[in-house]
Amino acid sequence: DAGVTQSPTHLIKTRGQQVTLRCSPKSGHDTVSWYQQALGQGPQFIFQYYEEEERQRGNFPDRFSGHQFPNYSSELNVNALLLGDSALYLCASSLGQAGGYTFGSGTRLTVV
Amino acid sequence: QKEVEQDPGPLSVPEGAIVSLNCTYSNSAFQYFMWYRQYSRKGPELLMYTYSSGNKEDGRFTAQVDKSSKYISLFIRDSQPSDSATYLCAMSVPSGSARQLTFGSGTQLTVLP
């Protein structure tokens, strides 16, 4: 039973560029949440997608956007990258919006 | 002030020791409390989940919640080198819609053989 799959594992981008991160949820899960984890910090909630719509958003600027596809997979897009966007980006899937999370191993984004 | 404060560590203990990990919070709306374990280069995995004050035990792990003091703890008995990881407390408010977790900053634990 595959868990949450994220791609790519690592990514290096230049300041000002745009990036797309991808997430496939655990089998049977229909909801995807994205978190940003800076080095030495706990994860911070970015947003949650359910039924292909953004349902709740954390304190992140509009440069962060997302999408959920009919097969429940999701993308996180970040525009106009800043050095401060360097972090581990975690995808968590759940059954329903209030269900228990299963986290992926994350995408390590480095902005130079 | 952060909504959730966690003892930063790092913490280093000998194998077999009892470990105590602690978090305080300021938002009295938090009703669900979790402890996650995160190994290096991995995502967090859920260890314990509780929604009431008191103790909850699962094997070598005990989660303790004191809502009146806004304080939660995780105890690990007979600690093993395989317990070496970062431990994150997390909390959420009751919601029929999206569950948004608020995490502490994590405590890095090393159990020495």
PDB file of all heavy atoms in Angstrom, chain A residues 79-103:
ATOM      1  N   ASN A  79       5.482  31.128  -6.912  1.00  0.00           N
ATOM      2  CA  ASN A  79       6.009  32.086  -7.890  1.00  0.00           C
ATOM      3  C   ASN A  79       6.993  33.039  -7.227  1.00  0.00           C
ATOM      4  O   ASN A  79       6.995  33.210  -5.995  1.00  0.00           O
ATOM      5  CB  ASN A  79       4.852  32.909  -8.479  1.00  0.00           C
ATOM      6  CG  ASN A  79       3.917  32.059  -9.307  1.00  0.00           C
ATOM      7  OD1 ASN A  79       4.353  31.156 -10.017  1.00  0.00           O
ATOM      8  ND2 ASN A  79       2.626  32.326  -9.201  1.00  0.00           N
ATOM      9  N   ALA A  80       7.815  33.668  -8.071  1.00  0.00           N
ATOM     10  CA  ALA A  80       8.742  34.723  -7.618  1.00  0.00           C
ATOM     11  C   ALA A  80       9.476  34.285  -6.348  1.00  0.00           C
ATOM     12  O   ALA A  80       9.387  34.924  -5.301  1.00  0.00           O
ATOM     13  CB  ALA A  80       7.960  36.017  -7.379  1.00  0.00           C
ATOM     14  N   LEU A  81      10.183  33.186  -6.451  1.00  0.00           N
ATOM     15  CA  LEU A  81      10.841  32.584  -5.300  1.00  0.00           C
ATOM     16  C   LEU A  81      11.771  33.550  -4.582  1.00  0.00           C
ATOM     17  O   LEU A  81      12.512  34.330  -5.198  1.00  0.00           O
ATOM     18  CB  LEU A  81      11.629  31.352  -5.739  1.00  0.00           C
ATOM     19  CG  LEU A  81      10.798  30.109  -6.049  1.00  0.00           C
ATOM     20  CD1 LEU A  81      11.643  29.083  -6.794  1.00  0.00           C
ATOM     21  CD2 LEU A  81      10.214  29.522  -4.776  1.00  0.00           C
ATOM     22  N   LEU A  82      11.709  33.470  -3.259  1.00  0.00           N
ATOM     23  CA  LEU A  82      12.597  34.237  -2.382  1.00  0.00           C
ATOM     24  C   LEU A  82      13.534  33.273  -1.679  1.00  0.00           C
ATOM     25  O   LEU A  82      13.231  32.086  -1.527  1.00  0.00           O
ATOM     26  CB  LEU A  82      11.767  34.999  -1.344  1.00  0.00           C
ATOM     27  CG  LEU A  82      10.700  35.955  -1.863  1.00  0.00           C
ATOM     28  CD1 LEU A  82       9.879  36.500  -0.707  1.00  0.00           C
ATOM     29  CD2 LEU A  82      11.332  37.078  -2.661  1.00  0.00           C
ATOM     30  N   LEU A  83      14.657  33.808  -1.197  1.00  0.00           N
ATOM     31  CA  LEU A  83      15.599  32.960  -0.463  1.00  0.00           C
ATOM     32  C   LEU A  83      14.904  32.306   0.732  1.00  0.00           C
ATOM     33  O   LEU A  83      15.172  31.152   1.083  1.00  0.00           O
ATOM     34  CB  LEU A  83      16.799  33.776   0.007  1.00  0.00           C
ATOM     35  CG  LEU A  83      17.677  34.382  -1.086  1.00  0.00           C
ATOM     36  CD1 LEU A  83      18.821  35.174  -0.455  1.00  0.00           C
ATOM     37  CD2 LEU A  83      18.224  33.309  -2.014  1.00  0.00           C
ATOM     38  N   GLY A  84      13.980  33.036   1.343  1.00  0.00           N
ATOM     39  CA  GLY A  84      13.263  32.549   2.514  1.00  0.00           C
ATOM     40  C   GLY A  84      12.284  31.425   2.230  1.00  0.00           C
ATOM     41  O   GLY A  84      11.729  30.847   3.163  1.00  0.00           O
ATOM     42  N   ASP A  85      12.069  31.135   0.955  1.00  0.00           N
ATOM     43  CA  ASP A  85      11.190  30.012   0.605  1.00  0.00           C
ATOM     44  C   ASP A  85      11.920  28.676   0.699  1.00  0.00           C
ATOM     45  O   ASP A  85      11.301  27.623   0.542  1.00  0.00           O
ATOM     46  CB  ASP A  85      10.635  30.189  -0.810  1.00  0.00           C
ATOM     47  CG  ASP A  85       9.717  31.395  -0.949  1.00  0.00           C
ATOM     48  OD1 ASP A  85       9.078  31.764   0.061  1.00  0.00           O
ATOM     49  OD2 ASP A  85       9.649  31.966  -2.053  1.00  0.00           O
ATOM     50  N   SER A  86      13.216  28.719   0.927  1.00  0.00           N
ATOM     51  CA  SER A  86      13.994  27.488   1.092  1.00  0.00           C
ATOM     52  C   SER A  86      13.475  26.741   2.314  1.00  0.00           C
ATOM     53  O   SER A  86      13.465  27.279   3.427  1.00  0.00           O
ATOM     54  CB  SER A  86      15.471  27.810   1.279  1.00  0.00           C
ATOM     55  OG  SER A  86      16.002  28.404   0.117  1.00  0.00           O
ATOM     56  N   ALA A  87      13.043  25.503   2.104  1.00  0.00           N
ATOM     57  CA  ALA A  87      12.419  24.731   3.181  1.00  0.00           C
ATOM     58  C   ALA A  87      12.111  23.334   2.679  1.00  0.00           C
ATOM     59  O   ALA A  87      12.258  23.032   1.487  1.00  0.00           O
ATOM     60  CB  ALA A  87      11.129  25.402   3.651  1.00  0.00           C
ATOM     61  N   LEU A  88      11.636  22.501   3.606  1.00  0.00           N
ATOM     62  CA  LEU A  88      11.080  21.199   3.261  1.00  0.00           C
ATOM     63  C   LEU A  88       9.572  21.384   3.100  1.00  0.00           C
ATOM     64  O   LEU A  88       8.901  21.890   4.001  1.00  0.00           O
ATOM     65  CB  LEU A  88      11.377  20.186   4.369  1.00  0.00           C
ATOM     66  CG  LEU A  88      10.862  18.767   4.176  1.00  0.00           C
ATOM     67  CD1 LEU A  88      11.605  18.079   3.032  1.00  0.00           C
ATOM     68  CD2 LEU A  88      11.017  17.962   5.469  1.00  0.00           C
ATOM     69  N   TYR A  89       9.047  21.011   1.963  1.00  0.00           N
ATOM     70  CA  TYR A  89       7.614  21.139   1.709  1.00  0.00           C
ATOM     71  C   TYR A  89       6.973  19.764   1.851  1.00  0.00           C
ATOM     72  O   TYR A  89       7.309  18.833   1.125  1.00  0.00           O
ATOM     73  CB  TYR A  89       7.360  21.745   0.332  1.00  0.00           C
ATOM     74  CG  TYR A  89       7.700  23.218   0.323  1.00  0.00           C
ATOM     75  CD1 TYR A  89       9.010  23.642   0.105  1.00  0.00           C
ATOM     76  CD2 TYR A  89       6.737  24.180   0.597  1.00  0.00           C
ATOM     77  CE1 TYR A  89       9.342  24.982   0.161  1.00  0.00           C
ATOM     78  CE2 TYR A  89       7.054  25.525   0.640  1.00  0.00           C
ATOM     79  CZ  TYR A  89       8.368  25.912   0.423  1.00  0.00           C
ATOM     80  OH  TYR A  89       8.699  27.252   0.481  1.00  0.00           O
ATOM     81  N   LEU A  90       6.061  19.685   2.790  1.00  0.00           N
ATOM     82  CA  LEU A  90       5.425  18.416   3.132  1.00  0.00           C
ATOM     83  C   LEU A  90       3.998  18.379   2.621  1.00  0.00           C
ATOM     84  O   LEU A  90       3.245  19.349   2.772  1.00  0.00           O
ATOM     85  CB  LEU A  90       5.408  18.227   4.648  1.00  0.00           C
ATOM     86  CG  LEU A  90       6.770  18.063   5.321  1.00  0.00           C
ATOM     87  CD1 LEU A  90       6.658  18.303   6.819  1.00  0.00           C
ATOM     88  CD2 LEU A  90       7.327  16.669   5.050  1.00  0.00           C
ATOM     89  N   CYS A  91       3.642  17.257   2.062  1.00  0.00           N
ATOM     90  CA  CYS A  91       2.267  17.008   1.661  1.00  0.00           C
ATOM     91  C   CYS A  91       1.683  15.993   2.644  1.00  0.00           C
ATOM     92  O   CYS A  91       2.353  15.009   3.008  1.00  0.00           O
ATOM     93  CB  CYS A  91       2.239  16.460   0.239  1.00  0.00           C
ATOM     94  SG  CYS A  91       0.647  15.835  -0.305  1.00  0.00           S
ATOM     95  N   ALA A  92       0.473  16.226   3.080  1.00  0.00           N
ATOM     96  CA  ALA A  92      -0.205  15.288   3.973  1.00  0.00           C
ATOM     97  C   ALA A  92      -1.571  14.971   3.377  1.00  0.00           C
ATOM     98  O   ALA A  92      -2.297  15.881   2.971  1.00  0.00           O
ATOM     99  CB  ALA A  92      -0.370  15.898   5.359  1.00  0.00           C
ATOM    100  N   SER A  93      -1.906  13.694   3.322  1.00  0.00           N
ATOM    101  CA  SER A  93      -3.228  13.340   2.815  1.00  0.00           C
ATOM    102  C   SER A  93      -4.083  12.789   3.950  1.00  0.00           C
ATOM    103  O   SER A  93      -3.580  12.339   4.983  1.00  0.00           O
ATOM    104  CB  SER A  93      -3.126  12.330   1.673  1.00  0.00           C
ATOM    105  OG  SER A  93      -2.737  11.053   2.144  1.00  0.00           O
ATOM    106  N   SER A  94      -5.390  12.859   3.749  1.00  0.00           N
ATOM    107  CA  SER A  94      -6.336  12.364   4.746  1.00  0.00           C
ATOM    108  C   SER A  94      -7.623  11.958   4.049  1.00  0.00           C
ATOM    109  O   SER A  94      -7.861  12.315   2.893  1.00  0.00           O
ATOM    110  CB  SER A  94      -6.615  13.432   5.807  1.00  0.00           C
ATOM    111  OG  SER A  94      -7.143  14.607   5.216  1.00  0.00           O
ATOM    112  N   LEU A  95      -8.432  11.209   4.782  1.00  0.00           N
ATOM    113  CA  LEU A  95      -9.772  10.884   4.283  1.00  0.00           C
ATOM    114  C   LEU A  95     -10.715  11.911   4.880  1.00  0.00           C
ATOM    115  O   LEU A  95     -10.966  11.911   6.087  1.00  0.00           O
ATOM    116  CB  LEU A  95     -10.178   9.474   4.689  1.00  0.00           C
ATOM    117  CG  LEU A  95     -11.588   9.053   4.274  1.00  0.00           C
ATOM    118  CD1 LEU A  95     -11.738   9.131   2.746  1.00  0.00           C
ATOM    119  CD2 LEU A  95     -11.911   7.656   4.767  1.00  0.00           C
ATOM    120  N   GLY A  96     -11.191  12.814   4.055  1.00  0.00           N
ATOM    121  CA  GLY A  96     -12.015  13.899   4.579  1.00  0.00           C
ATOM    122  C   GLY A  96     -11.152  15.019   5.139  1.00  0.00           C
ATOM    123  O   GLY A  96      -9.965  14.835   5.445  1.00  0.00           O
ATOM    124  N   GLN A  97     -11.764  16.152   5.281  1.00  0.00           N
ATOM    125  CA  GLN A  97     -11.008  17.343   5.681  1.00  0.00           C
ATOM    126  C   GLN A  97     -10.504  17.252   7.110  1.00  0.00           C
ATOM    127  O   GLN A  97      -9.485  17.861   7.450  1.00  0.00           O
ATOM    128  CB  GLN A  97     -11.888  18.581   5.525  1.00  0.00           C
ATOM    129  CG  GLN A  97     -12.233  18.895   4.085  1.00  0.00           C
ATOM    130  CD  GLN A  97     -13.188  20.087   3.997  1.00  0.00           C
ATOM    131  OE1 GLN A  97     -14.401  19.921   3.929  1.00  0.00           O
ATOM    132  NE2 GLN A  97     -12.632  21.273   4.019  1.00  0.00           N
ATOM    133  N   ALA A  98     -11.207  16.545   7.965  1.00  0.00           N
ATOM    134  CA  ALA A  98     -10.804  16.487   9.367  1.00  0.00           C
ATOM    135  C   ALA A  98     -10.166  15.151   9.726  1.00  0.00           C
ATOM    136  O   ALA A  98      -9.966  14.870  10.899  1.00  0.00           O
ATOM    137  CB  ALA A  98     -12.014  16.750  10.269  1.00  0.00           C
ATOM    138  N   GLY A  99      -9.857  14.360   8.734  1.00  0.00           N
ATOM    139  CA  GLY A  99      -9.269  13.052   8.977  1.00  0.00           C
ATOM    140  C   GLY A  99      -7.820  13.125   9.432  1.00  0.00           C
ATOM    141  O   GLY A  99      -7.166  14.169   9.311  1.00  0.00           O
ATOM    142  N   GLY A 100      -7.320  12.020   9.960  1.00  0.00           N
ATOM    143  CA  GLY A 100      -5.925  11.959  10.382  1.00  0.00           C
ATOM    144  C   GLY A 100      -4.983  12.013   9.199  1.00  0.00           C
ATOM    145  O   GLY A 100      -5.258  11.466   8.133  1.00  0.00           O
ATOM    146  N   TYR A 101      -3.883  12.704   9.376  1.00  0.00           N
ATOM    147  CA  TYR A 101      -2.922  12.915   8.300  1.00  0.00           C
ATOM    148  C   TYR A 101      -1.958  11.751   8.141  1.00  0.00           C
ATOM    149  O   TYR A 101      -1.532  11.151   9.117  1.00  0.00           O
ATOM    150  CB  TYR A 101      -2.037  14.126   8.595  1.00  0.00           C
ATOM    151  CG  TYR A 101      -2.638  15.493   8.419  1.00  0.00           C
ATOM    152  CD1 TYR A 101      -2.005  16.591   8.988  1.00  0.00           C
ATOM    153  CD2 TYR A 101      -3.788  15.722   7.696  1.00  0.00           C
ATOM    154  CE1 TYR A 101      -2.493  17.872   8.837  1.00  0.00           C
ATOM    155  CE2 TYR A 101      -4.297  17.000   7.547  1.00  0.00           C
ATOM    156  CZ  TYR A 101      -3.640  18.076   8.109  1.00  0.00           C
ATOM    157  OH  TYR A 101      -4.126  19.341   7.965  1.00  0.00           O
ATOM    158  N   THR A 102      -1.563  11.501   6.880  1.00  0.00           N
ATOM    159  CA  THR A 102      -0.363  10.738   6.570  1.00  0.00           C
ATOM    160  C   THR A 102       0.539  11.666   5.786  1.00  0.00           C
ATOM    161  O   THR A 102       0.119  12.207   4.749  1.00  0.00           O
ATOM    162  CB  THR A 102      -0.689   9.489   5.731  1.00  0.00           C
ATOM    163  OG1 THR A 102      -1.560   8.628   6.469  1.00  0.00           O
ATOM    164  CG2 THR A 102       0.585   8.736   5.398  1.00  0.00           C
ATOM    165  N   PHE A 103       1.743  11.862   6.277  1.00  0.00           N
ATOM    166  CA  PHE A 103       2.679  12.771   5.632  1.00  0.00           C
ATOM    167  C   PHE A 103       3.569  12.028   4.641  1.00  0.00           C
ATOM    168  O   PHE A 103       3.934  10.866   4.853  1.00  0.00           O
ATOM    169  CB  PHE A 103       3.593  13.444   6.666  1.00  0.00           C
ATOM    170  CG  PHE A 103       2.965  14.595   7.388  1.00  0.00           C
ATOM    171  CD1 PHE A 103       2.281  14.399   8.568  1.00  0.00           C
ATOM    172  CD2 PHE A 103       3.072  15.890   6.896  1.00  0.00           C
ATOM    173  CE1 PHE A 103       1.699  15.459   9.251  1.00  0.00           C
ATOM    174  CE2 PHE A 103       2.503  16.962   7.570  1.00  0.00           C
ATOM    175  CZ  PHE A 103       1.814  16.747   8.750  1.00  0.00           C
TER     176      PHE A 103
END
